[in-house]
Amino acid sequence: MNAAMIDLAPALPEVFLFVAGLVLLFLGVFRERDGLSVVNPLVVLALLVAVVLTIGADKGPVLAFDGHFVFDDFAAFLKVLIYVTAALGVMMAPAYLADARMGRFEFPLLALFATLGMGMMVSANSFLALYMGLELQSLSLYVMAAFQRDSTRASEAGLKYFVLGALASGMLLYGISLVYGFTGTLSFDLLARSFLVGEGAAALPAGAVVGLVFVIAGLAFKLSAVPFHMWTPDVYEGAPTPVTAFFAAAPKVAAMGLVLRLLFQPFGDWAGQWQQVIILVSVASMILGAFAAIGQTNIKRLMAYSAIGHVGYALVGIAAGGVAGVNAVLVYMAIYVVMTLGTFACILLMRRHGRYVEGIADLAGLSRHQPGMALILGILMFSLAGIPPAAGFFGKLYVFLAAVDAGLVWLALVGVLTSVVGAYYYLRIVKIMYFDEPAEAFDTMARPELQGIAAVAAVLVAGFLLLPGPLLSSAEAAARALLP
Amino acid sequence: MILAQLVFYLLAFVTVAAAVMVIAARNPVHSVLFLILAFFNSAGLFILLGAEFIGMLLVVVYVGAVAVLFLFVVMMLDINFVQLREGFLQYLPVGALVGLILLVELALVFGSIAMEPALGGAAVSATEAGVTNTEAIGRLLYTDYFYLFQAAGIILLVAMIGAMTLTMRHRPDARRQDIGRQVRRRPGETLEVRKVPPRTGI
């Protein structure tokens, strides 16, 4: 406790986002009518400025706010990923919002505050900071899910998400209280040091293990991993499509980053205690994601099960552990958000007679009417299925290689088998687009931002093989920062 | 020390029992009453720990919150007010029980502190000597926990934005007072003097 000024430099991107949020809130309130069209681009701009600030900051690692906040290469990698995806997610929204007559300026602001929460999550260095970031993110997301308040489906989605989210927060807090009770500290640094007791030392107190399991359960909910996935399909389907697109990308990265830091820093020496839990969750997610998606007819619901499956694959990397495992998870999440954003940009372009459609059957014959969009969606589906040479294949490859190196051959095998099952429903979409009896054409819309995002995503996943260097090297640096 | 333990176990037991009754009671009004009992007992536990500020806060904040909660229960569960008033006396036994327990506990807590002055927080001191509870919390909040304090502020801001986003509607046909327009109005714009001939209307 000293009288010196609090050093804000490590948290500069977050401080900037917060101040920008407050200023834009005022701006939106005073603009009333055209609030959305003014605030939305400015929120995108603010997020991009935060990306620049993150890249330019000193990646020490440095601690701030009495050790509650940490900024290192790991946080920087995830923050760049989160802020860019959030900016793209916000960019995709306004046209749909205006069409659905819910074009209010609060939407981009809630997204901004949610993103701020995600930034706080990946920089959290104590359980309290973790919880605060998580709640800031979740609360904003609850409101976004119910944003279309005239629609019963959206309200139901918001309410479901809120009630189950509150339950998950309860489990998380219970776990945190147990860990605190048995170790006497909430700081990740102190936890890591108090557990670091060398060979043959005392085991982790049983209460702390139980607490850790509860914490993992609470975080698994945010990741939508089985058995805490029940909310995902309903919320994905019920929420307005831009909200679903936002949900599917940045929050998953933030939650994964949180799990990584929590498991590898304070509890890094106790991998034996949490590895089985992660393996169980991972296997269950992969299997459910592969089989439950087969019967779906709504493409947003399909993407929900797809997200569950992909989280399962990413968790394989955590179970494998080590720099290779963490590296694989980071690469996997980066590729996953690119694929997801591209796919949702295509879904947002599915409009017929002025109404947005979500059925998989509506895609029939897309190759005839809009060959460009069919090609893009086809590439993204191949990548989601994990078929070489698309990026999705390499994401899975790194994860499975890490698992094999860690001696978890059977886990990698389960992953490969479920990928084969999962490929069925991704390729079915390609088949419907190219070979089925054509349905009526979609409206031709001039949405350069959506078409641009979809095209760039397709180019990125198709061309990953040519230029994998930048992503791999920055993920490697991030993984080394997490595991010194 | 045996007295301190007795008081602790009494408070803890009543807290848990009241908490169980909150979810077990069929009548929502009973639930609310038991909730108040649980809060008071938790406050007593805090005072035993020497954290009198949090104890008092619990009572002040939650009794206020419970009043609001009470309104919500009555509003949302569609309880008939007339029926509620008719049967008002039937709550007397429960209410009296709650009151009696509170009275006994208050007597016990203050009586035991009077008999054994060391009990009032000296056993486990949450703060440094010479620093009051409130001061200690204030010091921590604005230094070590500054970040979390600000984060909590942002969360509340988001809660406010969310509540307004989800519930506020602009009704164009609603009649609102526009003071500017009222003041600007001149009699000439609205009043018209007409001559009404006798025995005929306008």
Side-chain angles (χ1 to χ4, degrees), chain A residues 1 6 18 22 25 65-66 68-69 104 106 113 116 120 128-129 132 135-136 139-140 143 146-147 149-150, chain B residues 139-140 142-148 150-152 154-155 157-159 161-162 164-170:
Chain A
M1 214 190 289
I6 295 168
F18 174 50
L22 293 184
L25 182 61
F65 302 115
D66 286 287
H68 287 294
F69 189 95
R104 298 198 304 277
E106 287 95 343
F113 282 117
L116 175 63
M120 289 164 60
L128 282 174
M132 285 298 180
E135 278 307 295
L136 178 56
L139 196 63
S140 313
V143 180
F147 200 76
R149 58 190 186 192
D150 301 323
Chain B
R139 278 190 192 171
L140 272 182
Y142 289 98
T143 55
D144 292 8
Y145 295 98
F146 172 75
Y147 173 60
L148 306 164
Q150 291 297 321
I154 306 175
I155 293 176
L157 176 69
V158 169
I161 299 175
M164 283 182 224
T165 310
L166 293 183
T167 55
M168 202 172 84
R169 283 163 204 277
H170 289 286

Side-chain angles (χ1 to χ4, degrees), chain A residues 16-249:
Chain A
F16 172 78
L17 277 183
F18 174 50
V19 175
L22 293 184
V23 172
L24 293 178
L25 182 61
F26 267 94
L27 186 70
V29 170
F30 283 117
R31 295 295 293 226
E32 272 188 43
R33 287 274 153 245
D34 60 344
L36 182 69
S37 56
V38 175
V39 173
N40 207 73
L42 287 175
V43 166
V44 175
L45 185 71
L47 288 167
L48 294 179
V49 171
V51 173
V52 174
L53 290 175
T54 310
I55 293 172
D58 169 28
K59 299 180 188 64
V62 272
L63 291 177
F65 302 115
D66 286 287
H68 287 294
F69 189 95
V70 61
F71 188 73
D72 50 13
D73 270 313
F74 177 72
F77 177 87
L78 287 169
K79 276 183 192 176
V80 169
L81 196 58
I82 289 168
Y83 294 160
V84 171
T85 18
L88 293 177
V90 173
M91 207 191 273
M92 276 160 41
Y96 183 99
L97 295 181
D99 281 351
R101 276 184 294 165
M102 48 172 181
R104 298 198 304 277
F105 73 92
E106 287 95 343
F107 184 88
L109 277 175
L110 287 168
L112 179 87
F113 282 117
T115 316
L116 175 63
M118 294 173 214
M120 289 164 60
M121 279 159 74
V122 294
S123 268
N125 201 33
S126 73
F127 271 118
L128 282 174
L130 176 155
Y131 182 68
M132 285 298 180
L134 195 69
E135 278 307 295
L136 178 56
Q137 180 236 25
S138 308
L139 196 63
S140 313
L141 292 186
Y142 300 148
V143 180
M144 283 170 76
F147 200 76
Q148 195 173 15
R149 58 190 186 192
D150 301 323
S151 142
T152 37
R153 275 203 318 168
S155 307
E156 186 197 330
L159 196 64
K160 246 180 208 170
Y161 190 32
F162 175 67
V163 171
L164 289 174
L167 185 71
S169 288
M171 286 200 282
L172 184 75
L173 280 179
Y174 183 56
I176 292 175
S177 74
L178 278 177
V179 172
Y180 182 56
F182 278 88
T183 60
T185 178
L186 287 170
S187 149
F188 286 179
D189 291 335
L190 282 178
L191 276 174
R193 241 180 293 150
S194 63
F195 293 157
L196 193 73
V197 275
E199 297 285 319
L204 194 61
V209 178
V210 176
L212 181 61
V213 172
F214 270 99
V215 170
I216 293 175
L219 294 177
F221 173 88
K222 305 287 171 191
L223 276 173
S224 68
V226 180
F228 306 99
H229 65 284
M230 289 81 79
W231 59 277
T232 321
D234 293 341
V235 173
Y236 270 46
E237 190 189 354
T241 314
V243 177
T244 314
F246 191 84
F247 273 28

